[in-house]
Amino acid sequence: MNYFSDVLHLFYPKICVTCSTELLNYEKVVCTQCRHDLPIICYRSFKDNKIKNTFFGRIPIEYAGSFLIYKKEGKTKALIQHLKYKGQQEIGDFLGDWFGNILKESGVFNAIDCIVPVPLHKIKLKKRGYNQLTFFGKRLAKVLHSEYVSHALVRTSTSKTQTRKQRFERFSNTQTTFHLIDPNLFENKHVLLIDDVITTGATLEACCKELLKTKSIKISIVTMAYTE
């Protein structure tokens, strides 16, 4: 660390997102203790699990998985909130690198052609200034040696933040719509659709139905977190 960085760190120390303790030089985003305490979901299979079963009978999915368990209170919520509302996009890098390597080691995600994020509506994107999935998606693409495609799928309606809704309201929300700019773009390709938190899966289902307008497309889904 050079002199300028030393001085900057002295006055603006980096702190753990989940417990607010000062991070050591080798720590990123969260401290070592909080990293060990994160509620990681362990998989025996990405072909048959509770995340994939969320879409059973609704849309055809190849593989599915989420990285962390999301609860009303806890470390996962702190990570997602800081990522979405406090501009800490390095959290996306952190989660994408960690989860990406887990996906790579599984062997079943090595044939992914494109990674597509659930898009924000242009009004919300302008207000927030960024899509919280960008850094996460780009890191996954780097680890999985695939292409990050952010502008092929657009949101054509606005909706309230999913994690702040009551569960019944989320499930009954059918007004969120999407549009695929070029139905031929993903022909004969395996697309990995990504989101931050999955609850009922309604938003992801709406995205998939639009993507399925493409011939011979395969779709898999991964998210940063899963709400039990």
Side-chain angles (χ1 to χ4, degrees), residues 46-226:
F46 286 97
K47 187 73 174 177
D48 182 17
N49 57 56
K50 57 187 176 183
I51 287 83
K52 188 170 185 291
N53 290 340
T54 300
F55 302 98
F56 181 77
R58 296 159 66 179
I59 46 175
I61 296 297
E62 299 295 316
Y63 305 104
S66 295
F67 187 35
L68 304 171
I69 296 173
Y70 186 99
K71 297 181 179 180
K72 290 183 178 180
E73 301 296 335
K75 299 183 186 301
T76 302
K77 181 179 180 180
L79 283 169
I80 301 297
Q81 294 290 307
H82 278 76
L83 171 61
K84 292 180 70 171
Y85 307 115
K86 297 187 178 182
Q88 294 186 233
Q89 295 194 69
E90 67 272 15
I91 294 172
D93 263 340
F94 172 74
L95 295 177
D97 187 60
W98 193 353
F99 194 31
N101 279 287
I102 292 174
L103 298 177
K104 183 178 180 180
E105 290 173 5
S106 74
V108 301
F109 290 91
N110 295 336
I112 294 295
D113 296 298
C114 304
I115 294 178
V116 177
V118 170
L120 293 179
H121 189 273
K122 60 182 179 180
I123 295 176
K124 184 175 287 186
L125 181 61
K126 184 177 181 180
K127 181 179 180 180
R128 185 177 298 170
Y130 62 95
N131 186 330
Q132 69 273 12
L133 298 172
T134 299
F135 279 40
F136 178 68
K138 287 184 176 180
R139 181 61 63 171
L140 286 178
K142 183 176 181 179
V143 174
L144 298 176
H145 304 291
S146 58
E147 181 182 4
Y148 182 69
V149 182
S150 61
H151 302 296
L153 188 67
V154 297
R155 189 186 292 251
T156 56
S157 66
T158 58
S159 64
K160 297 178 182 178
T161 301
Q162 292 291 309
T163 52
R164 291 184 178 180
K165 291 182 180 181
Q166 295 295 321
R167 189 171 183 86
F168 177 78
E169 184 181 358
R170 289 195 301 262
F171 184 78
S172 60
N173 177 33
T174 58
Q175 297 180 345
T176 303
T177 55
F178 301 89
H179 174 65
L180 184 60
I181 299 298
D182 181 5
N184 298 316
L185 182 62
F186 300 124
E187 188 171 346
N188 297 312
K189 292 185 177 180
H190 190 171
V191 172
L192 181 62
L193 181 65
I194 63 171
D195 203 359
D196 48 19
V197 182
I198 178 174
T199 50
T200 64
T203 298
L204 288 162
E205 180 181 358
C207 286
C208 287
K209 286 181 177 179
E210 184 66 17
L211 289 171
L212 286 168
K213 292 179 180 179
T214 298
K215 295 180 180 179
S216 303
I217 188 175
K218 292 182 179 179
I219 303 174
S220 291
I221 290 174
V222 299
T223 67
M224 297 177 186
Y226 170 79

Side-chain angles (χ1 to χ4, degrees), residues 3 27 177:
Y3 176 76
E27 294 175 329
T177 55

Side-chain angles (χ1 to χ4, degrees), residues 2-39:
N2 58 38
Y3 176 76
F4 177 76
S5 296
D6 286 340
V7 174
L8 190 65
H9 182 74
L10 179 63
F11 290 99
Y12 301 98
K14 293 183 178 181
I15 62 173
C16 175
V17 170
T18 57
C19 73
S20 298
T21 59
E22 185 175 345
L23 295 177
L24 300 176
N25 289 339
Y26 62 87
E27 294 175 329
K28 295 181 179 180
V29 179
V30 298
C31 66
T32 301
Q33 182 60 54
C34 287
R35 182 183 175 101
H36 289 160
D37 292 340
L38 286 173

